[in-house]
Short mmCIF file of all heavy atoms in Angstrom, two decimals:
data_model
loop_
_atom_site.label_atom_id
_atom_site.label_comp_id
_atom_site.label_asym_id
_atom_site.label_seq_id
_atom_site.Cartn_x
_atom_site.Cartn_y
_atom_site.Cartn_z
N GLU A 224 -6.03 0.13 19.23
CA GLU A 224 -5.82 -0.48 20.53
C GLU A 224 -6.08 -1.98 20.52
O GLU A 224 -5.35 -2.77 21.12
CB GLU A 224 -6.73 0.19 21.57
CG GLU A 224 -6.54 1.69 21.71
CD GLU A 224 -5.16 2.07 22.17
OE1 GLU A 224 -4.45 1.22 22.73
OE2 GLU A 224 -4.76 3.23 21.98
N SER A 225 -7.11 -2.40 19.81
CA SER A 225 -7.49 -3.82 19.83
C SER A 225 -6.45 -4.70 19.15
O SER A 225 -6.38 -5.89 19.40
CB SER A 225 -8.85 -4.00 19.13
OG SER A 225 -8.76 -3.60 17.78
N THR A 226 -5.62 -4.11 18.29
CA THR A 226 -4.62 -4.90 17.59
C THR A 226 -3.21 -4.57 18.04
O THR A 226 -2.24 -5.00 17.44
CB THR A 226 -4.72 -4.65 16.07
OG1 THR A 226 -4.57 -3.26 15.81
CG2 THR A 226 -6.05 -5.12 15.53
N GLY A 227 -3.08 -3.79 19.11
CA GLY A 227 -1.76 -3.45 19.62
C GLY A 227 -1.04 -2.39 18.80
O GLY A 227 0.17 -2.20 18.95
N LYS A 228 -1.78 -1.69 17.95
CA LYS A 228 -1.16 -0.70 17.09
C LYS A 228 -1.45 0.73 17.56
O LYS A 228 -1.17 1.69 16.86
CB LYS A 228 -1.65 -0.87 15.65
CG LYS A 228 -1.27 -2.20 15.03
CD LYS A 228 -1.82 -2.31 13.62
CE LYS A 228 -1.47 -3.65 12.98
NZ LYS A 228 -2.05 -3.79 11.63
N GLY A 229 -2.01 0.87 18.75
CA GLY A 229 -2.44 2.19 19.20
C GLY A 229 -1.32 3.20 19.27
O GLY A 229 -1.49 4.36 18.87
N LEU A 230 -0.16 2.81 19.78
CA LEU A 230 0.95 3.74 19.92
C LEU A 230 1.41 4.26 18.57
O LEU A 230 1.56 5.47 18.36
CB LEU A 230 2.12 3.06 20.64
CG LEU A 230 3.31 3.98 20.91
CD1 LEU A 230 2.99 4.94 22.05
CD2 LEU A 230 4.56 3.17 21.25
N GLU A 231 1.64 3.35 17.62
CA GLU A 231 2.09 3.76 16.29
C GLU A 231 1.06 4.64 15.60
O GLU A 231 1.42 5.61 14.92
CB GLU A 231 2.38 2.53 15.42
CG GLU A 231 3.55 1.69 15.91
CD GLU A 231 4.85 2.47 16.00
OE1 GLU A 231 5.10 3.32 15.11
OE2 GLU A 231 5.60 2.25 16.96
N GLN A 232 -0.19 4.32 15.78
CA GLN A 232 -1.23 5.13 15.14
C GLN A 232 -1.34 6.51 15.78
O GLN A 232 -1.62 7.49 15.09
CB GLN A 232 -2.56 4.38 15.19
CG GLN A 232 -2.54 3.15 14.29
CD GLN A 232 -3.88 2.45 14.22
OE1 GLN A 232 -4.83 2.83 14.91
NE2 GLN A 232 -3.96 1.42 13.40
N ASN A 233 -1.10 6.60 17.08
CA ASN A 233 -1.09 7.91 17.73
C ASN A 233 0.05 8.76 17.19
O ASN A 233 -0.10 9.97 16.99
CB ASN A 233 -0.96 7.76 19.25
CG ASN A 233 -2.30 7.48 19.90
OD1 ASN A 233 -3.34 7.58 19.26
ND2 ASN A 233 -2.29 7.12 21.16
N ILE A 234 1.20 8.13 16.96
CA ILE A 234 2.32 8.88 16.40
C ILE A 234 1.96 9.39 15.00
O ILE A 234 2.22 10.56 14.67
CB ILE A 234 3.58 7.99 16.36
CG1 ILE A 234 4.09 7.75 17.78
CG2 ILE A 234 4.67 8.64 15.50
CD1 ILE A 234 5.21 6.75 17.88
N THR A 235 1.34 8.55 14.20
CA THR A 235 0.93 8.98 12.86
C THR A 235 -0.09 10.10 12.93
O THR A 235 -0.01 11.08 12.18
CB THR A 235 0.35 7.79 12.07
OG1 THR A 235 1.34 6.76 11.96
CG2 THR A 235 -0.09 8.22 10.67
N LEU A 236 -1.05 9.98 13.83
CA LEU A 236 -2.07 11.02 13.97
C LEU A 236 -1.43 12.33 14.43
O LEU A 236 -1.77 13.41 13.92
CB LEU A 236 -3.13 10.57 14.98
CG LEU A 236 -4.28 11.54 15.21
CD1 LEU A 236 -5.05 11.81 13.93
CD2 LEU A 236 -5.23 10.99 16.29
N GLY A 237 -0.51 12.24 15.37
CA GLY A 237 0.19 13.43 15.81
C GLY A 237 0.94 14.11 14.68
O GLY A 237 0.94 15.34 14.55
N LYS A 238 1.56 13.31 13.81
CA LYS A 238 2.28 13.86 12.66
C LYS A 238 1.32 14.55 11.69
O LYS A 238 1.68 15.56 11.06
CB LYS A 238 3.04 12.75 11.93
CG LYS A 238 4.25 12.23 12.71
CD LYS A 238 4.93 11.11 11.93
CE LYS A 238 6.11 10.54 12.68
NZ LYS A 238 6.76 9.42 11.91
N LEU A 239 0.12 14.00 11.54
CA LEU A 239 -0.88 14.64 10.67
C LEU A 239 -1.24 16.03 11.20
O LEU A 239 -1.29 17.00 10.43
CB LEU A 239 -2.14 13.78 10.58
CG LEU A 239 -2.12 12.61 9.61
CD1 LEU A 239 -3.39 11.79 9.76
CD2 LEU A 239 -1.98 13.10 8.17
N TYR A 240 -1.49 16.10 12.50
CA TYR A 240 -1.80 17.41 13.09
C TYR A 240 -0.61 18.36 12.97
O TYR A 240 -0.77 19.57 12.74
CB TYR A 240 -2.21 17.25 14.56
CG TYR A 240 -3.64 16.81 14.76
CD1 TYR A 240 -3.95 15.61 15.39
CD2 TYR A 240 -4.70 17.60 14.32
CE1 TYR A 240 -5.27 15.20 15.58
CE2 TYR A 240 -6.02 17.21 14.50
CZ TYR A 240 -6.30 16.01 15.13
OH TYR A 240 -7.60 15.62 15.32
N TYR A 241 0.60 17.82 13.13
CA TYR A 241 1.81 18.64 13.00
C TYR A 241 1.92 19.20 11.58
O TYR A 241 2.21 20.39 11.39
CB TYR A 241 3.03 17.81 13.35
CG TYR A 241 4.34 18.51 13.10
CD1 TYR A 241 4.84 19.46 13.99
CD2 TYR A 241 5.10 18.22 11.97
CE1 TYR A 241 6.04 20.11 13.76
CE2 TYR A 241 6.30 18.86 11.72
CZ TYR A 241 6.77 19.80 12.62
OH TYR A 241 7.97 20.44 12.39
#
Side-chain angles (χ1 to χ4, degrees):
E224 302 297 341
S225 61
T226 57
K228 297 179 181 177
L230 183 74
E231 294 302 322
Q232 291 185 356
N233 277 350
I234 290 172
T235 301
L236 181 60
K238 289 178 181 179
L239 279 174
Y240 280 119
Y241 173 79

